Amino acid sequence: MIFEDEKCVQISIPKTGTSSLYALINKIPITDNIMTIVRKGANNGLKHFKDHNYNFHTHGHFTFQQWEQYRAKETKYQHYPIFSFVRNPYDRLVSIFRAHYQSCDLSNFRQFCILFTTDDNYKIQKSSTKKQLDPNFDRYSARKRFNTQSYFLQNKWGEISIDFIGKLESLEEDYNKLKSINPLLPCYNKNYKINTSGDSTQTNYDDYYIDETRELTYEFFKQDFINFGYEK
C-alpha cells in the first residue's frame, strides 16, 4: 500500500494486522463500520495485479516483486522506504482458519491444517470428519492467497531486504520504532487495533494444535520461522 503523505510503502501480508495499520495511517474515523470503510476499496494484488490496473493506494495484498515492477515505471516512488509486519506462523494459520474456513468447530482445524499443508492423500483421507470443510475448498488457491510471509517479501533472488519488518505480537512497540524512522507517520493509537483475530488467538492458538499439525505447520512455513526468528 502506498501512503503518499507519509512517503512510504507497506508490503501488506494477509492476516498480519494490515486492516488496522491501513486505518491508523490513513486516519480513517473510528466508527462501528470501520472495517466496511477499509474493505470498500480493497484490492487483492495476487488476483488483480496487472501493470497499472492495480491500485496500490487501497487496502490490499501484493508481493515485493509486484511492487518492484510497478515502482520501475513510477519513478516518484523509487525512494519511498518499504515496511511490513509479520506474525507467528502458528497464530497466523489459526487466524486464517477462523476468518475464512471455520465452517464448524475447533476439531475441524486438524482437517484444515492437513489439507492446507500437505498433498499426502493418505493423510487427507484419514483427516476426514463428520463435519467437513467446504467441499469446494481449493488448497492451491488457499496456499496462493495465504502463502508464506517470506514469499510476499522476497525479491526475485529470494532475498529479503526491505527497510523495516515489525511483528504483530509487538505491534505498538514496533510501530513506534517505525515512526522514529519515519516521523511523518501518525502516532500509534490502540483504538485502531480493529482486526480482533489477533486478540482472540494470541493467547490460545496453541489449543488448536496437536503434535501432528504443529509439525505440518512448521514444515510448510519453515522459511518464516527461520527468517523472522519464531520458535518451533
Side-chain angles (χ1 to χ4, degrees), residues 11-224:
I11 305 298
S12 49
I13 303 167
K15 306 309 295 177
T16 59
T18 57
S19 297
S20 301
L21 286 164
Y22 177 84
L24 167 62
I25 296 173
N26 280 297
K27 307 179 188 70
I28 294 175
I30 300 173
T31 64
D32 291 339
N33 64 340
I34 189 169
M35 284 301 295
T36 302
I37 297 171
V38 169
R39 289 169 177 159
K40 186 172 287 186
N43 261 322
N44 180 352
L46 297 183
K47 184 176 182 181
H48 301 296
F49 176 80
K50 185 179 179 182
D51 294 331
H52 285 46
N53 294 332
Y54 180 81
N55 185 354
F56 284 90
H57 293 81
T58 65
H59 173 261
H61 307 292
F62 53 85
T63 67
F64 177 79
Q65 291 184 55
Q66 288 174 324
W67 170 247
E68 280 193 315
Q69 293 176 46
Y70 182 81
R71 184 174 61 176
K73 298 177 181 179
E74 296 289 339
T75 56
K76 66 176 287 189
Y77 300 122
Q78 287 188 2
H79 299 295
Y80 275 30
I82 302 168
F83 73 92
S84 189
F85 276 76
V86 296
R87 183 178 192 172
N88 184 306
Y90 293 126
D91 189 14
R92 181 171 178 251
L93 188 62
V94 170
S95 181
I96 292 167
F97 171 68
R98 289 170 61 98
H100 299 280
Y101 301 106
Q102 186 172 355
S103 56
C104 43
D105 55 25
L106 183 151
S107 64
N108 244 119
F109 178 73
R110 177 176 178 270
Q111 183 191 16
F112 164 75
C113 184
I114 291 172
L115 283 168
F116 188 94
T117 61
T118 183
D119 294 314
D120 187 324
N121 288 326
Y122 177 74
K123 283 186 178 179
I124 291 170
Q125 290 172 5
K126 292 283 286 183
S127 73
S128 296
T129 63
K130 291 181 180 179
K131 290 185 176 181
Q132 295 293 308
L133 289 170
D134 184 338
N136 296 317
F137 176 80
D138 182 342
R139 73 171 64 91
Y140 303 107
S141 295
R143 287 174 184 173
K144 184 175 182 180
R145 182 181 182 187
F146 301 111
N147 211 317
T148 67
Q149 296 167 94
S150 301
Y151 166 80
F152 278 88
L153 298 182
Q154 64 192 11
N155 60 26
K156 61 184 178 181
W157 297 286
E159 302 166 338
I160 298 174
S161 58
I162 70 172
D163 300 289
F164 181 88
I165 299 176
K167 291 185 175 181
L168 185 63
E169 295 78 20
S170 50
L171 177 61
E172 181 174 358
E173 178 184 353
D174 286 352
Y175 180 84
N176 287 332
K177 289 179 184 176
L178 177 62
K179 179 171 169 53
S180 71
I181 298 169
N182 182 1
L184 294 174
L185 288 165
C187 292
Y188 182 80
N189 183 340
K190 64 182 180 181
N191 293 320
Y192 278 105
K193 196 172 182 183
I194 51 178
N195 188 341
T196 58
S197 62
D199 293 333
S200 59
T201 64
Q202 194 70 38
T203 57
N204 68 351
Y205 67 82
D206 265 343
D207 295 344
Y208 284 74
Y209 287 94
I210 56 176
D211 289 346
E212 176 192 29
T213 52
R214 180 171 282 273
E215 184 64 28
L216 287 170
T217 301
Y218 176 78
E219 288 300 323
F220 188 84
F221 292 111
K222 191 172 185 177
Q223 271 188 304
D224 293 345

